[in-house]
Amino acid sequence: MQWKIHGERPIYENPWVNVWLTDVEQPDGRRWEYHVVKLRHLAVATVINNQQEILMMWRHRFITDTWAWELPMGLVEADETPGEAAAREVLEETGWRPGPMTPLIYAEPANGITDSQHHVFRADGATYVGPPTEKNESDRIEWIPLAEVRSMIDRREIVSSGSLVGLLYVLMDEAFRQPAQGVSPGDVPRK
């Protein structure tokens, strides 16, 4: 079921988004030109403090006219690794210098139309160094209790896929780290 690529050519290019036409052949032999959006890769940071709070930004996205909470994130520059980009974005967007970045999860958010890669990292702890240098990124910066994140997602207060991937992974990870409440292995009934 693998599609064959016979060639590709750019039809629009700039530093943020590129649109290419790709000459593809489907497994059934049908051949046609497919539009592909080529994007620079994204680094996302989940920064969690000792109080089980996650660093987030309240911001407006003009394209969808949406206000929502997001994790710090940004494009990976040519001269940096995704982990370096994630740490840089946290500092620039929030004024907090994160602890060491650990890879959390890799995602391709829309791989049927774009080659965009999302590299999501986790940092445990951060040090406040001053106001953010990126003045146009967010309205507020807050430490949000992890216990509130699920209900925020349900209320659509968090909608960015980069943020959702990172937050859902952290919530799942935290759930598996905590032992089940009030149940010991001997309490589990056998069939």
Side-chain angles (χ1 to χ4, degrees), residues 112-183:
I113 187 73
T114 180
D115 66 351
S116 180
Q117 298 176 5
H118 289 189
H119 301 270
V120 186
F121 294 84
R122 177 180 177 145
D124 291 307
T127 304
Y128 184 71
V129 296
T133 56
E134 290 288 334
K135 305 278 187 218
N136 298 310
E137 291 292 329
S138 67
D139 220 40
R140 297 191 325 259
I141 300 161
E142 293 183 21
W143 289 94
I144 305 290
L146 278 175
E148 294 179 16
V149 168
R150 170 64 192 270
S151 62
M152 294 169 68
I153 292 170
D154 291 343
R155 292 189 306 267
R156 293 188 180 180
E157 293 173 10
I158 302 169
V159 296
S160 152
S161 70
S163 295
L164 288 168
V165 166
L167 290 168
L168 292 172
Y169 196 91
V170 165
L171 291 176
M172 180 181 65
D173 206 26
E174 293 298 317
F176 282 111
R177 287 184 192 189
Q178 298 175 10
Q181 299 292 326
V183 177

Side-chain angles (χ1 to χ4, degrees), residues 18 34-39 108-117:
N18 300 288
Y34 193 90
H35 287 81
V36 176
V37 179
K38 297 189 177 212
L39 300 172
E108 295 174 357
N111 59 10
I113 187 73
T114 180
D115 66 351
S116 180
Q117 298 176 5

Side-chain angles (χ1 to χ4, degrees), residues 4-164:
K4 294 177 188 170
I5 298 173
H6 294 284
E8 58 184 357
R9 63 186 168 85
I11 57 174
Y12 175 79
E13 295 182 292
N14 76 33
W16 293 274
V17 63
N18 300 288
V19 180
W20 287 55
L21 278 178
T22 304
D23 179 7
V24 296
E25 182 179 337
Q26 293 177 300
D28 66 2
R30 183 173 167 230
R31 190 167 166 176
W32 53 296
E33 287 192 312
Y34 193 90
H35 287 81
V36 176
V37 179
K38 297 189 177 212
L39 300 172
R40 289 170 44 205
H41 304 313
L42 187 73
V44 183
T46 60
V47 182
I48 301 169
N49 66 19
N50 290 337
Q51 291 79 38
Q52 290 299 98
E53 297 170 323
I54 193 155
L55 185 61
M56 298 193 74
M57 305 177 320
W58 178 251
R59 64 172 304 166
H60 182 257
R61 292 292 186 175
F62 76 92
I63 295 169
T64 57
D65 194 21
T66 304
W67 283 94
W69 289 100
E70 291 185 9
L71 295 172
M73 67 181 80
L75 298 174
V76 179
E77 300 296 339
D79 63 341
E80 64 187 353
T81 66
E84 291 168 341
R88 175 183 51 77
E89 290 293 338
V90 173
L91 182 59
E92 289 175 358
E93 293 179 351
T94 70
W96 288 84
R97 179 174 289 119
M101 289 287 171
T102 303
L104 188 63
I105 190 169
Y106 167 83
E108 295 174 357
N111 59 10
I113 187 73
T114 180
D115 66 351
S116 180
Q117 298 176 5
H118 289 189
H119 301 270
V120 186
F121 294 84
R122 177 180 177 145
D124 291 307
T127 304
Y128 184 71
V129 296
T133 56
E134 290 288 334
K135 305 278 187 218
N136 298 310
E137 291 292 329
S138 67
D139 220 40
R140 297 191 325 259
I141 300 161
E142 293 183 21
W143 289 94
I144 305 290
L146 278 175
E148 294 179 16
V149 168
R150 170 64 192 270
S151 62
M152 294 169 68
I153 292 170
D154 291 343
R155 292 189 306 267
R156 293 188 180 180
E157 293 173 10
I158 302 169
V159 296
S160 152
S161 70
S163 295
L164 288 168

